Amino acid sequence: MKTKPVDPSSSEFICLAHRGASGHEPENTLLAIEKAITMGAPWIEVDVFAVEDELVVIHDERLETTTNGTGCVMKRSLAYLRSLDAGKGQKIPLLREVFDLTKGRAGVNVELKGPGTAAPVVKLIGEYRHGHPGRYDGWVLVSSFNHRELAKVRSLNPDIPIGALGFGLPPKHAKFAQDLGAVSVHTSVARVNRAFVNDAHRRGLKVFVYTVNRADDLKRMRAMGVNGVFTNFPELVLSGHHEHV
Ligand code: G3P
Ligand code: MG
């Protein structure tokens, strides 16, 4: 099934496939991303590090967790990283390959993991902008727990939508995201509450919650009025009939 990205500012409840459909295929691989699109997910979330002149798509700082390699992502050569198996024979993808694969079919939420990712991500998004007339909304959203990198994205290109990631419940709720100029605030399913959601909405921010893999949590999130969830199992959100732990 083909799908189309949904503008994150829309009122639709948004399913963001977390590291692709990572409950079904190896996380952060092109296989997991294609699977998510086939399942109908309008958004794909991926994690990136900058290595040499490229952006590589992987979550952990260390390679042992998801690949047959060893050591730290940032301390290895691009050639070495690209020689590894990230599961089912998949390579660690480049972000540009993710854009090539998803183009026009799903939006990409690029989560900046490593240092020095803001500038190359802004540059790459600029290269791909031509396929998306006029606006950035609806096909790319840059997020990070590293708010300095996010601020850098804003300063380099204020038109690129950013989402501010947080884990706990700050005393001033979603103010940090508003101060960054974000369109959305991304917070943990373990911590989010109605007061936080209401505060974010008052500030004009969407709330996207990670990582929702259980039907009871999804129900709770919908009741709380959040605007979308990250999930390893897109079918949970898209059909509402399945539960995964
Ligand atoms: O971007 C949402 C979520 O992916 C943040 O946590 O550790 O899974 O990257 P993590
Ligand atoms: Mg992530």
Side-chain angles (χ1 to χ4, degrees):
M1 184 174 90
K2 284 203 169 183
T3 186
K4 279 219 164 85
V6 177
D7 190 323
S9 64
S10 84
S11 58
E12 213 165 312
F13 189 86
I14 294 180
C15 171
L16 300 104
H18 183 239
R19 312 179 193 176
S22 57
H24 299 281
E25 300 293 354
E27 67 179 48
N28 280 319
T29 63
L30 296 182
L31 200 59
I33 292 164
E34 185 60 34
K35 176 75 176 174
I37 295 172
T38 306
M39 295 175 88
W43 278 83
I44 314 291
E45 184 258 4
V46 293
D47 307 286
V48 300
F49 286 84
V51 176
E52 296 172 22
D53 289 336
E54 284 291 354
L55 290 151
V56 291
V57 176
I58 187 166
H59 177 271
D60 283 31
E61 280 176 28
R62 292 199 65 88
L63 291 160
E64 290 85 350
T65 329
T66 55
T67 76
N68 60 348
T70 58
C72 290
V73 173
M74 298 288 296
K75 292 195 175 149
R76 291 295 198 171
S77 70
L78 184 61
Y80 175 75
L81 296 177
R82 294 285 280 169
S83 74
L84 301 177
D85 184 343
K88 293 193 178 176
Q90 293 282 298
K91 283 185 182 180
I92 297 173
L94 304 178
L95 183 59
R96 65 174 71 248
E97 292 178 320
V98 175
F99 286 162
D100 287 336
L101 182 67
T102 52
K103 207 169 176 184
R105 299 193 297 157
V108 183
N109 171 202
V110 182
E111 184 189 337
L112 311 180
K113 281 293 188 207
T117 39
V121 164
V122 168
K123 185 165 175 277
L124 190 67
I125 289 171
E127 283 174 33
Y128 278 80
R129 190 191 170 185
H130 65 271
H132 305 272
R135 287 150 57 93
Y136 295 93
D137 302 8
W139 74 273
V140 72
L141 175 65
V142 178
S143 63
S144 191
F145 287 106
N146 184 332
H147 297 166
R148 282 170 63 179
E149 288 291 328
L150 272 188
K152 191 157 185 199
V153 171
R154 283 290 288 167
S155 71
L156 291 170
N157 186 340
D159 292 334
I160 295 175
I162 59 170
L165 269 157
F167 177 71
L169 283 175
K172 291 185 178 168
H173 296 293
K175 185 174 184 299
F176 73 99
Q178 185 182 32
D179 289 348
L180 281 163
V183 297
S184 52
V185 59
H186 306 181
T187 191
S188 159
V189 66
R191 302 292 177 96
V192 67
N193 63 23
R194 198 177 286 272
F196 182 87
V197 174
N198 290 344
D199 177 77
H201 286 167
R202 272 196 298 273
R203 297 176 190 276
L205 297 159
K206 298 285 179 183
V207 180
F208 300 134
V209 177
Y210 60 88
T211 305
V212 176
N213 291 328
R214 297 164 46 115
D216 56 349
D217 281 334
L218 177 62
K219 199 172 165 193
R220 201 161 54 83
M221 292 305 106
R222 285 189 190 274
M224 221 179 263
V226 312
N227 303 97
V229 294
F230 298 88
T231 181
N232 300 351
F233 300 95
E235 72 275 22
L236 177 76
V237 182
L238 299 167
S239 76
H241 294 309
H242 304 271
E243 180 164 2
H244 300 276
V245 179

